[in-house]
Amino acid sequence: MSAGLDDLPLRDDLRGMKPYGAPQAPLPVALNVNENTHPVPSEVADDILDSIAVALREVNRYPDREFTALREGFAGYLGHGLTSDQIWAANGSNEVLQHVLQAFAGPGRTAFGFAPTYSMYPLLSRSTGASWVAGERESDYTISAESAAAQVAEASPDVVFLCAPNNPTGTPLRLDVIEAVYEASRGVVVVDEAYQEFAPREERSALTLLPGRERLVVSRTMSKAFAFAGARVGYLAADPAVIDALRLVRLPYHLSALTQAAATAALRHAPTMLGMVDEIVAQRDRISATLEALGYDPHESWTNFVLFGGVDDPAATWQALYDEGVLIRDVGIPHHLRVTAGTEAETTAFLDALASIDSAS
Ligand SMILES: *Cc1c(COP(=O)(O)O)cnc(C)c1O
């Protein structure tokens, strides 16, 4: 005997909600959640382990609530003259975004993003009590500065999410769009740069827009380029006053001593940890070129994944690939599927399996 959610005195605003649920199937080739599929290099793993071992000896004590060393590490990694009082971190950028919503959105307020975009924005918004408003993109998933500013001015949200480049489409977002949205808004503008390291090197980050914009927040994660998804570490840069606001909502000691030690050690090896980015970008571009040759419509991507259209029956293709041991993602966009760029061998396995299925419409 077990009860259902309807039998519980659940919050009314949580009724009918679905939890985040990308399938976690133990398939040989898992290209569904945009991880870096390259393992942490062993010389880095050794150093991280040493740091964790030291931290473990003091694990009877609460950790540094201000995660000082880690914030200094992030400030150094990001550059742009940032200092540690402009840095925040938490257990994945999902928790960072949740902190932003808890501080600046919440009950009676609204959060806004341009759909299709990261599926966690509406979930996090609603679970923290805010309502979610979805804006629109052009048919190629780009957004113009004029349209973005007009939509944001109209919705007047308390928090705006700009995913740059965008998940699940891969679409770049130009800095003039961010500037226009900031000017048109009264709320906090979050630029989610989870995939920034995969964008062309010469492109400017939204970090360059921070000076003089106290409502602007730029979030990043160690989960994608940094090959650290399992450690759960995300961070953001913003005005020190924003960081003070986030301190009001975080749980005490939210970042464990072991997490702080592991992430601080990994950051010391940033160039090695990021060493696979060029290789991943090469595999991404190979995926796009091969998909096109197979008759699909890959969308431009500045990330480590490719969204492609022209799929006759996405659910059937997804299942056929699954049966071949290849896990990709059906993100619910009609006639589209999304695939993460893996190692060369994984990417080959995906492309070969797809070619054998022949499901282009
Ligand atoms: C993967 C992803 C994140 C990162 O989530 P973590 O909680 O840091 O693992 C954030 N934003 C977007 C758009 C993502 O795709």
Side-chain angles (χ1 to χ4, degrees):
M1 276 290 286
S2 112
L5 283 186
D6 287 343
D7 303 315
L8 298 175
L10 187 67
R11 268 165 47 186
D12 289 334
D13 61 330
L14 294 182
R15 288 193 190 281
M17 278 177 64
K18 293 257 185 305
Y20 175 86
Q24 281 199 304
L27 293 193
V29 181
L31 302 174
N32 64 327
V33 285
N34 303 339
E35 296 148 335
N36 183 336
T37 67
H38 300 75
V40 174
S42 66
E43 69 274 21
V44 182
D46 288 343
D47 192 34
I48 294 173
L49 259 183
D50 289 346
S51 295
I52 292 176
V54 172
L56 194 61
R57 301 212 181 274
E58 292 186 35
V59 88
N60 55 312
R61 299 289 185 183
Y62 281 114
D64 173 11
R65 201 167 45 217
E66 290 296 321
F67 44 101
T68 316
L70 182 57
R71 282 164 53 213
E72 282 164 4
F74 282 130
Y77 169 68
L78 289 177
H80 295 93
L82 290 164
T83 49
S84 59
D85 61 345
Q86 295 176 273
I87 303 292
W88 187 248
N91 299 281
S93 61
N94 272 272
E95 189 181 54
V96 169
L97 301 178
Q98 185 178 55
H99 287 163
V100 171
L101 288 162
Q102 286 176 305
F104 297 106
R109 294 190 162 202
T110 52
F112 177 100
F114 295 96
T117 191
Y118 187 39
S119 62
M120 283 307 299
Y121 301 151
L123 271 175
L124 290 167
S125 299
R126 293 191 185 117
S127 69
T128 51
S131 49
W132 172 254
V133 177
E136 290 174 356
R137 296 168 180 268
E138 307 298 325
S139 58
D140 63 358
Y141 304 124
T142 58
I143 324 170
S144 71
E146 305 73 52
S147 165
Q151 292 185 60
V152 167
E154 160 91 30
S156 189
D158 299 282
V159 172
V160 181
F161 288 106
L162 298 174
C163 193
N166 187 50
N167 182 8
T169 63
T171 320
L173 186 74
R174 297 206 324 257
L175 292 191
D176 65 315
V177 180
I178 299 168
E179 291 180 87
V181 165
Y182 188 87
E183 291 311 318
S185 67
R186 56 174 184 83
V188 166
V189 176
V190 181
V191 183
D192 183 347
E193 291 192 340
Y195 299 96
Q196 179 66 23
E197 286 92 347
F198 300 104
R201 286 279 153 75
E202 66 280 8
E203 293 296 332
R204 276 167 59 202
S205 157
L207 292 169
T208 59
L209 299 178
L210 283 174
R213 292 186 178 85
E214 72 282 354
R215 291 178 289 112
L216 186 64
V217 167
V218 181
S219 75
R220 297 272 188 108
T221 179
M222 293 182 81
S223 294
K224 307 292 160 59
F226 239 92
F228 225 48
R232 310 304 301 123
V233 187
Y235 55 107
L236 62 70
D239 190 276
V242 171
I243 310 304
D244 282 339
L246 302 178
R247 284 193 181 90
L248 300 174
V249 297
R250 61 104 181 272
L251 295 173
Y253 317 108
H254 67 290
L255 268 181
S256 88
L258 305 183
T259 302
Q260 293 185 38
T264 304
L267 277 173
R268 287 198 295 266
H269 300 273
T272 313
M273 293 291 281
L274 293 167
M276 286 297 156
V277 164
D278 290 343
E279 164 64 12
I280 294 165
V281 165
Q283 295 307 319
R284 173 197 74 199
D285 292 343
R286 175 179 163 229
I287 290 174
S288 298
T290 311
L291 286 172
E292 203 159 336
L294 290 172
Y296 297 96
D297 304 320
H299 292 272
E300 181 184 16
S301 172
W302 279 14
T303 63
N304 67 339
F305 59 84
V306 178
L307 178 77
F308 58 103
V311 186
D312 204 15
D313 181 349
T317 301
W318 184 88
Q319 186 63 51
L321 289 168
Y322 187 103
D323 295 342
E324 298 279 323
V326 179
L327 186 60
I328 67 167
R329 190 83 178 269
D330 182 349
V331 292
I333 301 177
H335 300 295
H336 283 72
L337 287 168
R338 191 193 72 187
V339 63
T340 308
T343 60
E344 184 175 8
E346 290 166 329
T347 303
T348 301
F350 159 70
L351 291 170
D352 287 355
L354 187 69
S356 75
I357 293 163
D358 184 26
S359 63
S361 55

